Amino acid sequence: KITEEDVEKMKQQLEVFKSNLETFARKHKKDINKDPQLRKHFQVMCASIGVDPLASNKGFWAEMLGVGDFYYELGVQAIQVCMREQARTGGLMLLPNLQEHLQQLRGKKSNRISK
């Protein structure tokens, strides 16, 4: 049976890991931005522990890339769409097709994506 003490220890370990993840992101910012494989592994690592790099309340991830939250989120989603469609398209898409995929992904209530 998991005790409250065990839960508290797990929370502390998760916070330490998140902190180390942020330190790693700062240290390897250029590599993460330049290398799609590293970026993919980084995203997988974040997702595996429930960290959404797009959902930082402090704008940490957007600050790391030097762009606003909206544009960072949009950029990551564009990469995800291209990677998802890679087998069919080779990872490249016409902008109108990408725009359509992104609008579907983001939903009707999100900000409209213009060209």
Side-chain angles (χ1 to χ4, degrees):
K1 186 174 179 178
I2 297 176
T3 65
E4 284 185 42
E5 185 178 319
D6 293 333
V7 171
E8 194 57 40
K9 284 180 184 177
M10 285 187 272
K11 285 181 183 179
Q12 289 173 354
Q13 289 175 346
L14 185 58
E15 285 305 312
V16 168
F17 188 77
K18 285 181 182 181
S19 175
N20 289 338
L21 195 59
E22 289 178 357
T23 301
F24 177 86
R26 275 189 203 97
K27 184 176 180 181
H28 299 284
K29 174 183 176 179
K30 288 182 182 178
D31 296 328
I32 292 169
N33 286 335
K34 288 182 183 179
D35 185 347
Q37 288 288 43
L38 178 59
R39 190 168 43 251
K40 180 180 179 181
H41 290 300
F42 185 72
Q43 286 180 302
V44 168
M45 185 172 50
C46 288
S48 72
I49 63 162
V51 173
D52 182 355
L54 300 178
S56 172
N57 292 335
K58 299 176 185 175
F60 171 80
W61 301 108
E63 180 184 318
M64 289 303 304
L65 293 181
V67 295
D69 290 336
F70 171 78
Y71 293 105
Y72 176 68
E73 179 180 347
L74 184 62
V76 170
Q77 288 172 339
I79 291 167
Q80 289 171 337
V81 167
C82 290
M83 289 174 70
R84 185 181 65 225
E85 299 293 320
Q86 187 173 12
R88 198 170 57 84
T89 66
L92 301 174
M93 300 180 79
L94 294 173
L95 285 179
N97 294 350
L98 178 59
Q99 184 180 9
E100 182 180 325
H101 280 277
L102 287 171
Q103 201 61 51
Q104 289 173 357
L105 178 68
R106 296 174 63 80
K108 294 184 186 281
K109 293 184 179 181
S110 67
N111 293 340
R112 187 90 182 129
I113 304 167
S114 61
K115 292 182 182 178

